[in-house]
């Protein structure tokens, strides 16, 4: 009889451990780091242009024709808004991260604006 109780408890503990493994916040946070989720915003072209003028043209050129960074004039043909959001949020190579400089909504707006350039 006691054996049954012990193995029952053992299995319950195992099940609990498995559930914990999948629900602990650590994993979700790592996934968030790798692929930040883009907030949903309404495209505000004038706002996007202002954000880009203030933050991006030093490297990407005042007409987005490229400079230190590549041309973004046809960025939408290369990356969709979600991908641009990830690149701008996290940075890549010589491209700095804007995670601490711009709000996610601002980055999302810029990403959507750039994604329309094809
Ligand atoms: C300090 C210079 C610098 C600034 C400022 C900068 N970028 Fe970049 N950006 C780069 C460089 C360099 C690359 C190329 C990165 C690589 O080779 O992986 C790049 C790449 C990119 C790409 C990917 C291009 C592609 O097709 O692969 C996007 C999109 C982008 N930048 C958007 C922006 C936006 C939007 C801003 C302003 C919020 C910005 N960048 C500000 C230097 C900069």
């Amino acid at each position: 009889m006691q054996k049954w109780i012990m193995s029952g408890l053992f299995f319950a503990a195992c099940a609990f451990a498995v559930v914990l493994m999948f629900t602990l916040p650590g994993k979700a946070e790592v996934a968030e780091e790798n692929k930040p989720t883009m907030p949903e915003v309404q495209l505000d072209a004038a706002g996007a242009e202002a954000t880009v003028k203030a933050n991006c043209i030093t490297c990407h050129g005042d007409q987005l024709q490229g400079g230190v960074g590549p041309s973004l004039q046809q960025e939408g043909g290369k990356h969709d808004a979600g991908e641009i959001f990830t690149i701008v949020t996290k940075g890549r190579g010589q491209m700095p991260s804007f995670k601490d400089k711009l709000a996610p909504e601002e980055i999302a707006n810029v990403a959507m604006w750039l994604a329309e350039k094809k």
Side-chain angles (χ1 to χ4, degrees), residues 9 25 34 56 58 77 80 93 110 117:
L9 280 178
N34 289 333
C56 319
T58 41
D80 65 25
V110 167
K117 300 187 173 299

Side-chain angles (χ1 to χ4, degrees), residues 51-52 55-60 68-72 75 78-79 84 87-88 92-96 98 102 110 114:
T51 308
V52 166
N55 296 284
C56 319
I57 61 175
T58 41
C59 293
H60 288 283
V68 181
S71 162
L72 298 178
E75 188 57 22
K78 290 186 244 167
H79 298 286
I84 298 171
I87 295 170
V88 177
R92 200 187 71 193
Q94 293 298 303
M95 161 84 193
F98 281 87
L102 297 173
V110 167
L114 285 173

